[in-house]
Structures are given as structure tokens and as C-alpha cells.
């Protein structure tokens, strides 16, 4: 089983993480929202009262974009400046990331979008997740003895689900956007055609994925130079991808699912014994779903429903945490971390049992997200002792009736808000580029329970609800989320991170609401994570040794590992927008105007 490469931290970002906890605790009573501006000079400066803040978010009066790659963020901001709305900008960012963040941005993968439409006041969830091909079957990755065939669900042509990104982006643009597809695709086409400079982060990722990409001639032709992966400072030009994007700009999603691109994907599959066919591509459909809605301390939380497990378990954990004085106990105190970890364990145990594609299995969403169910769960939490994961089984919610990914957030002055998380699964997905297209194929089939009870690439254990079936969507942890205050978008948040997405997004919400942090502080703060199995409390550097000792005394197995998640966060109030890109990825950038 292959682990994802560690993220690269700058010395500055690491230093910020190490000092933020005591700083955040010292400002527990400080006011988050900015004071009204009284003159033009204040409008040009930081709008909020910064007297108690050391870390300051980016400010914009008219709109804001936050993504994991500065070039893509600039693309989105330019669309807003040209009069586009948040949906126009989000689609432009999505296609731009397919060019400048090739390890996670994509048109050969899929994902989820949560949006608030100001005109109608409606909250919408768009499911453009990949779908298992018609020839897919429950035991397709097992040998004759019933054992998992190493790598088959990750690095072969059988690893790819039918991509949904192009269909999802077109769907959102046609229904809520104001610009034509050709217009929002222009920047991505230019970046692919003319190229861009490879950053330190991308160069390191290419180096770490050398063996995966190096197996395929079409992949090497793009990402290698003189037999080695491109290095920092090299120019990455993607002529075939530019051609594919031009076809999509001219013909729409039809080019990808029925036209020239579809034909090339089907040919690639056929020549390597893959399961995906032209008929699978033609049959792909975007699904518009009702978001998961929760209430946390008076804030409305709008998030993604199944086949994402993210929204269900975000709400489930928040419902449990509402029982505890989070603010009073302090940021990353032993009490707070203990209560978070115990709540996380219970939610992830439920995830293993109940979550899957709602079109194939009955999921007790109402029960899992109900406060009455949370009331029962918290009764099992001991304030002074960690519960062994082996003693935790999935609960019974029915009587109360869900790692290389990327996230981007957009808000506009009209009141529209968009949260998008999409993925190829692992870095560069399967590593396979479809000959003549420049398109990397996902390896999302590994997100199914390849064999129920056996962990996937992220260590997540799944059950029969997420077993492989033809035309089924695999379970995900992606958690694009909008938090509403007084029925208006107040916070847009989301993150990559595989199994850690749910807990990463959780802490961004808790830090802004309970600890009254501004967006910069909220995402610099060190994070913790527990996913039931393995039975370990994972923490980032920066958690106090005294706190770790207290947690160990409660029975937690505390392990310090690589940074988790890369939040892209935007917050709004009457004066404008405040945002920040997670310093755990130095390529990320937030821009407003």
C-alpha cells in the first residue's frame, strides 16, 4: 500500500504552525469580524480590527478566490473582474487547475460542488463523481484465492472510473453561470498551450511519482525531460491538453463524452484491457442532490451528501461537539482534542458501515445527522479516558432517521458562494495519460471497498455498502462546505487530504465559530485526526508536549506525522471578503479585489 508523499513546508509556515496555538488561546475573547470602515483609506487597508491579531487574512471588497495554485486563483479573479459571477469563476478555476496542478486538478477525474445561488436563495449539491464502468464487478481486483491484487485498483487501466469533471463544470455553468464555456476556458487553454514554470512543490511531486508516471510513454512525453521528471524552473507545456480543451470549448462536454476525446479514451482502454468503454462515457450523468444541512451553535452548515461521506460525518461530529464548551476549554487543549478524537472515532466507525452510493444502498442520513443520535453517542464518551477503537462498533442511527485531491472556494459580491473539491485520487491518479489528449486518468476505483474490511490507500475500511457494482459511484471523504450566517453565505471551506478531509474541514469550522479566529489563524492552527482504524490519534507538529502527555494519560496513542489537509477558506461580512490559502502548500494563493 503506497502512502502519499509528505507535503513540503516552508520554514515560515512551519514556524507559524508552531506558535499559533498559544497565540490563538490568548485571543479567545477577541472579535473576529471587521469593524465598519469610516473612510476610503480604511477600505484600502485591512478592514478588520487587527489590534489582537498577529496573522491577517487577504481582503477583497468585491469578490475572492482561494485555490491551491496561484495561477488558477488569478484566472478566477480575472473572471470576476470581467463581470462573471462565482460560478463562472469556479468553472474557470477548475479547468485551469487541470493544467497547472496536474497531480490533482483534472478533467479526467471527478468531484463535488456545493453552491449557494443568491437569486433563488437555494443551496445545491452537484455530484460529478466518477462512475464504475458497466463491466465493473465486486471481485474484479481479487485473485483466485480472494486476495487483493496489489496495485490493480491503483495503477492500471482498470483503476479508472468514468470521469465526471467536464460534465459537472458544464452543468454548473449552464445552470448558474453567466459566461459561455468558451470564455471561461480561454485562460486554461493558454496556460496549457504556452506553458508555465514548474514550482518547487510540483517538481518534488513529479520526482516522487517518477515510477508511476514513467511506466507510460504518453505521461513521460509531458512530464519528463531527458529521461527525468521536470525540475523546478522548467517550462511545462501541454499541447495535447490544450487541443482537448479547445475541443471542449467549441463542442462542450459532448466532445469529452461522445466526440474525439471519448474515442481516444475508449481506444486507450481497449488497447490495454481496461474496463471503460465508449458506451460508459456516453452514459455519464451529473446528479443534482439535496445538500446535507446541519446547525452548529446557530450557524447553518451546508455540505455535500452521499456518495460523499464528508457532509454526513461533519454534521455528526459537530452535533457531538456541541455538547462541550469548546471555546472555554481553549484551542488544542487536551480536553478539546480528547472530545474531538472520541467523536471522530464514533463517526468513522459509522462511515465504515453505512455510507455508499445512495442510488444503490439505503443510507440512514437523517439518523446519522440528527442531534438525538448525537445525544446518544456522547453518552458513550468518557471525559477522562480514551475508548479503544476495538471496543467501538458502528452505532444504530436508523431509529433517528456519508489523497490527492484539491479544493477551491469562490465568493462574489452578489452573494453567490461556491465550494468545489475534485480529484484524481492519488497524485496524478493512475499516472496514465490518454494518448493524444494530455488527459490524466483517475484511479478512483480504489475508493470502493475493493474487499470489504480491507483498508484502501488511505487506510479507510469500508463495508458492503461501498462494494463495487457496475455504474455505481465510489464513496468519498470530500467535504466542500458553506456555512451560513443569518441565511447568507458566511464561510466557504474545504480541503484535500483523503481520509483526513472531514476532520480538517471540521477544525476550520470549529476554529472560526468557537474560537473566533480569522481565516488565516483558523487554518494555520495545528490539526489532529482520528479515523477509528488504525487506533491512533494523529497530530501535527505544534501541539504542546504537555498536552500530548495529558492525552497519553487518558489512553490515547498519540503519533506526530506529516501535515494534514490544505484548506482554502473565504469568509464574508458586510464590508467584504477575508480569505487565506493553507501554508501547508506554498503554491496556494488567495486573491480578492
Amino acid at each position: 500500500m503506497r502512502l502519499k508523499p509528505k507535503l513540503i513546508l516552508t520554514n515560515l509556515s512551519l514556524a507559524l504552525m508552531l506558535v499559533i496555538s498559544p497565540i490563538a488561546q490568548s485571543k479567545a475573547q477577541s472579535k473576529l469580524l471587521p469593524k465598519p470602515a469610516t473612510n476610503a483609506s480604511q477600505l484600502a487597508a485591512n478592514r478588520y480590527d487587527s489590534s489582537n491579531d498577529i496573522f491577517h487574512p487577504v481582503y477583497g471588497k468585491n469578490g475572492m478566490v482561494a485555490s491551491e495554485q496561484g495561477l488558477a486563483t488569478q484566472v478566477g479573479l480575472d473572471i470576476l473582474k470581467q463581470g462573471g459571477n462565482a460560478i463562472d469563476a469556479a468553472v474557470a478555476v477548475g479547468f485551469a487547475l487541470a493544467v497547472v496542478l496536474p497531480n490533482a486538478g483534472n478533467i479526467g477525474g471527478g468531484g463535488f460542488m456545493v453552491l449557494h445561488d443568491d437569486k433563488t436563495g437555494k443551496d445545491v449539491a452537484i455530484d460529478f463523481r466518477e462512475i464504475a464502468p458497466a463491466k465493473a464487478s465486486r471481485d474484479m481486483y481479487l485473485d483466485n484465492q480472494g486476495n487483493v491484487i496489489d496495485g490493480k485498483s491503483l495503477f492500471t487501466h482498470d483503476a479508472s472510473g468514468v470521469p465526471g469533471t467536464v460534465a459537472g463544470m458544464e452543468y454548473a455553468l449552464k445552470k448558474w453561470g453567466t459566461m459561455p464555456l468558451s470564455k471561461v476556458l480561454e485562460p486554461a487553454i493558454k496556460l496549457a498551450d504556452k506553458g508555465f514554470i514548474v514550482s518547487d512543490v510540483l517538481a518534488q511531486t513529479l520526482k516522487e511519482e517518477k515510477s508511476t508516471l514513467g511506466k507510460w510513454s504518453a505521461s513521460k512525453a509531458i512530464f519528463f525531460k531527458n529521461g527525468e521528471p521536470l525540475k523546478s524552473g522548467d517550462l511545462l507545456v501541454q499541447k495535447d491538453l490544450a487541443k482537448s480543451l479547445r475541443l471542449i470549448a467549441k463542442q462542450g462536454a459532448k466532445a469529452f463524452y461522445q466526440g474525439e476525446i471519448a474515442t481516444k479514451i475508449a481506444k486507450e482502454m481497449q488497447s490495454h484491457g481496461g474496463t471503460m468503454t465508449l458506451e460508459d462515457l456516453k452514459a455519464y450523468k451529473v446528479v443534482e442532490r439535496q445538500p446535507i444541512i446541519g446547525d452548529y451553535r446557530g450557524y447553518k452548515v451546508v455540505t455535500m451528501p452521499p456518495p460523499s461521506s464528508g457532509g454526513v460525518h461533519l454534521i455528526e461530529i459537530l452535533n457531538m461537539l456541541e455538547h462541550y464548551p469548546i471555546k472555554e476549554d481553549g484551542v488544542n487543549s487536551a480536553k478539546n482534542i480528547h472530545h474531538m478524537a472520541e467523536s471522530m472515532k464514533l463517526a468513522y466507525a459509522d462511515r465504515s458501515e453505512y455510507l455508499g452510493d445512495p442510488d444503490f444502498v439505503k443510507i440512514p442520513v437523517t439518523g446519522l445527522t440528527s442531534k438525538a443520535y448525537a445525544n446518544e453517542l456522547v453518552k458513550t464518551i468518557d471525559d477522562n479516558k480514551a475508548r479503544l477503537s476495538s471496543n467501538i462498533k458502528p452505532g444504530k442511527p436508523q431509529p433517528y432517521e456519508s489523497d490527492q485531491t484539491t479544493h477551491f472556494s469562490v465568493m462574489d459580491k452578489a452573494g453567490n458562494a461556491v465550494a468545489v473539491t475534485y480529484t484524481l485520487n492519488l497524485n496524478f491518479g493512475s499516472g496514465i495519460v490518454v494518448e493524444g489528449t494530455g488527459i490524466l486518468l483517475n484511479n478512483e476505483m480504489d475508493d470502493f471497498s475493493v474487499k470489504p474490511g480491507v483498508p484502501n490507500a488511505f487506510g479507510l475500511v469500508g463495508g458492503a455498502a461501498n462494494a463495487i457494482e457496475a455504474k455505481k459511484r465510489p464513496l468519498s471523504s470530500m467535504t466542500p462546505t458553506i456555512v451560513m450566517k443569518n441565511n447568507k453565505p458566511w464561510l466557504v471551506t474545504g480541503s484535500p487530504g483523503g481520509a483526513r478531509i472531514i476532520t480538517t474541514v471540521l477544525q476550520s469550522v470549529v476554529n472560526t465559530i468557537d474560537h473566533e479566529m480569522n481565516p488565516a489563524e483558523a487554518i494555520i492552527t495545528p490539526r489532529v485526526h482520528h479515523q477509528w482504524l488504525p487506533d491512533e490519534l494523529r497530530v501535527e507538529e505544534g501541539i504542546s508536549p504537555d498536552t500530548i502527555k495529558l492525552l497519553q494519560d487518558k489512553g490515547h496513542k498519540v503519533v506526530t506525522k506529516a501535515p494534514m489537509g490544505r484548506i482554502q477558506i473565504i469568509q464574508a461580512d458586510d464590508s467584504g471578503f477575508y480569505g487565506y490559502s493553507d501554508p501547508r502548500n506554498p503554491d496556494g494563493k488567495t486573491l480578492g479585489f
Side-chain angles (χ1 to χ4, degrees), residues 307-321:
S308 173
S309 64
V312 167
H313 298 304
L314 173 66
I315 300 303
E316 183 179 4
I317 298 170
L318 286 171
N319 286 343
M320 287 185 265
L321 293 182

Side-chain angles (χ1 to χ4, degrees), residues 49-60:
D49 179 2
S50 60
S51 58
N52 292 308
D53 296 344
I54 292 177
F55 305 104
H56 302 276
V58 174
Y59 170 72

